[in-house]
Amino acid sequence: MRYYKKKEAIDRRKADIQPIGESLKALMQAYRIDGKLSEVQLVQNWEKIMGKPIALKTQQLYFKDGKLFVKLTSAPLKHELNMSKSKVINLLNIEAGREVVKDVIFL
């Protein structure tokens, strides 16, 4: 009879098993680092998102309070990106899978 109870306990534990990816996501949410991780991924994927010509004229990228600061070397490119700021924000948030970027400031 004891063997039967142990088997039930084992079955109960198996029901609580979840994939490691879900466990890591839950852990990141618990420690509130999922937002920062998304920001880092966006900075790393800047060239893939915006394209090589824009990435070549980008000097520096950094986040502060949900705003992405982009330092550019080209004034005409800065003006062009300012005109399409909402599209840039939308592209970045789509890549992140949630709203990470609230505003983009081109320097």
Side-chain angles (χ1 to χ4, degrees), residues 18-31 33-34 37:
Q18 54 181 253
I20 194 159
E22 290 179 16
S23 299
L24 288 174
K25 285 180 185 177
L27 183 68
M28 288 189 302
Q29 287 176 348
Y31 285 108
I33 59 172
D34 56 337
L37 184 65

Side-chain angles (χ1 to χ4, degrees), residues 7 10 12 18 21 23 27 34 39 42 45 55 64-65 68 72-74 78-79 82 85 87 90 93-95 99 102:
K7 186 176 184 313
I10 290 171
R12 215 175 314 125
Q18 54 181 253
S23 299
L27 183 68
D34 56 337
E39 291 175 358
L42 283 177
N45 293 331
K64 185 173 182 181
D65 299 328
L68 176 64
L72 299 168
T73 59
S74 171
K78 176 183 170 184
H79 179 71
N82 266 325
K85 186 184 283 193
K87 185 176 179 184
N90 193 25
N93 286 331
I94 288 172
E95 179 70 24
E99 186 180 357
K102 296 176 184 153

